[in-house]
Amino acid sequence: MADLKGQYDGIKSDIREAIDRVLEKGIFILGEEVQAFEKEFAEYCGVKFAVGVASGTDALQLALRSCGIKPGDEVITVANTAFPTVAAISYSGAKPVFVDVDETYDINVNGIEAKITDRTKCILPVHLYGYPADMKPIMEIADRHGLVVVEDACQAHGAEYDSMKVGSIGNAGCFSFYPTKNLGAYGDGGMITANDEGIAGKLQLLRDYGQTQRYRHIIKGYNSRLDEIQASILRVKLKRLDEWNEQRRKNASVYNKLLGGLEDIATPALRNDNSKHVYHQYVIRVGNGRRESLRAWLRDNGVATDIHYPIPLHLQEAYADLGLGKGALPITERNASEILSIPVHQGLHEADIRMIADSIASFLAD
Ligand SMILES: Cc1ncc(COP(=O)(O)O)c(C=O)c1O
């Protein structure tokens, strides 16, 4: 599903040089590399500020806190996402409130307003699989109801909505640099993007023990810092991100052509707008109860697959306290039983994609 070794081979000398630079300087936490990467990432996303933290999970949690989310508040999001999206809401003390998704796998914007109560403080859309949520109506709803918007862009580095990069549209944007992400570190890392100086300033405090200067703590902050070595690696990789995303888009368009007409297969549904998908995952739906047998067939033919995600958050044991049973989110639940992620990463080229598509077609013809 990813080719980190192949990617490394292509950028080896730049990576070694970057790591050496840090080792030679002997500064490992909140030094020049983090500062430079924050500046470069902010420019890339088209925002004023970027604050490096220890993971995407921390990015979400600290973004929520810096936007003033507190215990008793409600945050509207989706249930088909990575567990940390929702866990971060819980860490902030707020309650996650789920809205179903639409055919694009992202939040169904028509379902949001019905879930707003006087405790709702935030909408947290997830740009799932690299496809931007429909941000215009989301921002309009947030404006109408005085809510903040925190974007979960952990899977969507470089994706665009209406010519704006994700992470630059809401009050804060949250990114993960988990190694397999489109922009991945060689360890954990995360980033929050924002245009508001107050939010950025609060984040800088929250990530570093709440200190304004050494041993002067004005709030009860955390230790959540992106380290110098990861920042130096990410600076090398950021320069290649657009090229890698373009390769993912090319791979996806070959799949769309080859799988588009096949019975029992639904290729990704996109809105009719100028959003730019970055295909962190290429996710098909397999109908007629055939997903598991297709998965086994592909595995036997040497093709890795995954399911993102097999159990929606409202049906996870950890969220049993929400009291939502089966049937609460019909499209999310249908998707969980039909979705299949197939390889789309930048190390694959047209011949690989054709081989995988042929393999799927020959299974279906059987
Ligand atoms: C949508 C989404 N949100 C949040 C996260 C959390 O990021 P991290 O693993 O860096 O904590 C991830 C990554 O796994 C993710 O895919």
Side-chain angles (χ1 to χ4, degrees):
M1 295 295 286
D3 179 21
L4 297 184
K5 175 70 170 82
Q7 187 191 61
Y8 173 60
D9 287 341
I11 53 175
K12 196 171 193 157
S13 60
D14 288 358
I15 293 285
R16 303 301 285 237
E17 197 185 304
I19 294 175
D20 269 355
R21 190 170 65 232
V22 176
L23 297 179
E24 290 297 333
K25 259 190 247 163
I27 293 169
F28 298 101
I29 301 291
L30 296 185
E32 287 170 7
E33 297 291 333
V34 168
Q35 241 175 45
F37 178 54
E38 287 176 340
K39 187 164 175 288
E40 288 157 8
F41 196 73
E43 270 166 24
Y44 179 81
C45 293
V47 293
K48 290 193 191 135
F49 306 100
V51 180
V53 293
S55 68
T57 310
D58 277 4
L60 286 159
Q61 185 202 169
L62 300 185
L64 288 167
R65 285 183 195 265
S66 67
C67 288
I69 306 306
K70 38 180 203 328
D73 293 344
E74 291 179 358
V75 176
I76 291 178
T77 192
V78 288
N80 182 36
T81 180
F83 175 80
T85 305
V86 180
I89 296 171
S90 304
Y91 302 152
S92 77
K95 177 185 169 191
V97 174
F98 297 123
V99 169
D100 211 349
V101 293
D102 63 22
E103 295 300 328
T104 69
Y105 302 127
D106 281 339
I107 192 164
N108 182 347
V109 294
N110 298 318
I112 295 175
E113 278 190 299
K115 295 289 172 81
I116 293 176
T117 70
D118 49 10
R119 284 192 292 276
T120 308
K121 292 286 153 43
C122 175
I123 307 173
L124 198 160
V126 181
H127 306 305
L128 197 70
Y129 310 142
Y131 189 58
D134 197 359
M135 291 305 292
K136 186 165 184 277
I138 291 172
M139 296 308 293
E140 282 167 3
I141 294 168
D143 267 0
R144 258 202 309 281
H145 296 271
L147 310 176
V148 298
V149 175
V150 173
E151 298 174 63
D152 183 339
C154 285
Q155 300 188 357
H157 320 67
E160 287 179 20
Y161 179 90
D162 202 11
S163 304
M164 290 176 284
K165 286 263 171 26
V166 298
S168 72
I169 307 164
N171 301 76
C174 302
F175 294 84
S176 163
F177 301 125
Y178 183 78
T180 56
K181 299 297 195 223
N182 291 27
L183 179 60
Y186 292 150
D188 275 312
M191 185 78 89
I192 303 112
T193 48
N195 278 312
D196 182 281
E197 198 171 358
I199 290 176
K202 184 92 185 280
L203 285 166
Q204 277 154 356
L205 286 174
L206 280 172
R207 74 168 169 189
D208 192 28
Y209 313 137
Q211 57 189 356
T212 46
Q213 49 181 280
R214 213 156 171 232
Y215 307 134
R216 182 71 57 88
H217 307 269
I218 61 166
I219 56 170
K220 298 181 188 80
Y222 304 78
N223 173 356
S224 180
R225 301 172 299 219
L226 182 65
D227 71 68
E228 285 285 287
I229 288 184
Q230 299 305 340
S232 76
I233 291 163
L234 288 161
R235 291 182 71 196
V236 171
K237 290 190 168 197
L238 180 60
K239 295 197 184 85
R240 275 95 174 168
L241 177 60
D242 284 343
E243 178 196 321
W244 291 336
N245 280 344
E246 197 49 47
Q247 185 60 47
R248 285 172 183 268
R249 268 194 292 274
K250 269 193 200 144
N251 290 344
S253 76
V254 178
Y255 274 140
N256 287 342
K257 254 186 256 138
L258 298 176
L259 302 177
L262 296 181
E263 206 177 320
D264 292 337
I265 298 289
T267 53
L270 308 179
R271 290 181 307 272
N272 188 20
D273 63 16
N274 65 349
S275 292
K276 250 183 163 176
H277 203 317
V278 292
Y279 293 98
H280 174 58
Q281 302 293 349
Y282 185 89
V283 178
I284 55 174
R285 284 195 294 111
V286 188
N288 257 329
R290 302 181 81 185
R291 181 186 61 192
E292 294 310 319
S293 45
L294 172 58
R295 209 178 170 202
W297 164 271
L298 288 171
R299 188 181 53 233
D300 293 346
N301 284 279
V303 178
T305 62
D306 208 339
I307 296 171
H308 301 98
Y309 296 89
I311 307 175
L313 270 299
H314 69 296
L315 300 179
Q316 293 281 358
E317 202 177 327
Y319 282 101
D321 58 339
L322 294 176
L324 295 169
K326 273 205 172 134
L329 301 166
I331 306 293
T332 300
E333 291 167 35
R334 178 205 65 187
N335 288 354
S337 65
E338 295 187 349
I339 48 180
L340 187 66
S341 308
I342 56 178
V344 71
H345 61 80
Q346 79 290 330
L348 296 171
H349 292 91
E350 183 159 341
D352 309 301
I353 301 296
R354 283 186 180 279
M355 186 279 281
I356 296 168
D358 283 351
S359 185
I360 293 172
S362 62
F363 167 82
L364 294 168
D366 230 21

